[in-house]
Amino acid sequence: MRNLAVLTSGGDAPGMNAAIRAVVRTGLSHGLNLWGVYQGYSGLIEGNFKRLGARDMGSIIQRGGTVLGSARCPEFQTEEGRELAVRRLHGAGIEGLIVIGGNGSQSGAHALNQMGFPVVGVASTIDNDLYGSDITIGVDTALNVALNAIDNLKVTASSHRRALLVEVMGRKCGYLALMAGIAGGAEAIVLPEVDVAPEQIAQRIQDGYERGKPHAIVVVAEGARYNAEGLCQYFKEHGLLIGFEFRSTVLGYVQRGAAPTCADRLLGTWLGSSAAEQIIAGNTGVLVGTSKGEIITTPLTEVAGRQKPLPSWFLKAAEMLAR
Ligand code: F6P
């Protein structure tokens, strides 16, 4: 292999830049030409490629977002779109592609690989829902952003004796909500994976109120049956008692845009560099992730379209610790 390309796709995640930098510099150190594909799969279809050197990667490790840009690309989900993308790659003499992204992006990587184009995926999404890696790039930073917000919200909630319902991202996965909720000492955590009736949540908040708690923090995953605003509405419409005055806050995109933590810089570097080494060694059609502190590769056929379950100990602990 002489020419290797890298792209970032789907929702950006803090630590993606560390991964890009690691792919590029590892590839260069093996004597390859490195190419950046701009704006994810859209850039692949448009042939938006640029040669990258070591200096292009200077001072990006500490930056959030992705210097290559990202996109959600419906056109790539069509056969014509993917065929055009492969023609663009062949046309530029590119012989391998590293895809840094989450679930949708790795399904795209799998499709390309099925068409005979050598691809290696890098596990990157703040949602941590990707099968094939214990942890994905961006999770640690997103959790720390959510946690800072929860700590601040707890302060103002206590001043006013309020219940605050805090909505965090995660698409259909409750990982961010579960972990931020536990680390933030939330009174209740609402997840897509565990269907709890709003009446039960209200009861738990009310119990805390009666026991003299100064606040209640409820962390709600955006993919749960009721989101934060939906729950507030439900409490009101059904006249449920929760004792506290209540408000909702949606954290939204602030969770994605922060500068990467040390953990995400290291994870991005580790996975990016390993992905370059895998593709150079000819181990393609795989996702590079971690398991029990080691690098692992998982065939993209096993990764595509699959959601990783929540860690069971933390799921049980959430119930036990919110007293
Ligand atoms: O997958 C990352 C994520 O931030 C999800 O948590 C969220 O549901 C989604 O992306 C938002 O997508 P978009 O950036 O397309 O609005």
Side-chain angles (χ1 to χ4, degrees), residues 144-157 180 183-185 217:
N144 279 298
V145 170
L147 203 53
N148 278 335
I150 290 168
D151 290 348
N152 293 350
L153 290 167
K154 200 181 265 187
V155 171
T156 176
I217 296 291

Side-chain angles (χ1 to χ4, degrees), residues 11 72 125-127 169-171 222 253 256:
R72 306 222 184 256
T125 163
I126 65 162
D127 301 338
M169 277 189 162
R171 206 180 289 278
E222 66 174 355
Y253 294 98
R256 282 213 325 230

Side-chain angles (χ1 to χ4, degrees), residues 7 13 32 54 101 156 172 182 190 199-200 217 224 243 277 286 288 296 303 319:
L7 64 76
L32 303 186
T156 176
K172 289 282 158 215
I182 292 176
V190 184
E199 285 75 8
Q200 243 177 294
I217 296 291
E277 282 177 343
V286 294
V288 174
I296 56 159
V303 172
E319 274 298 301

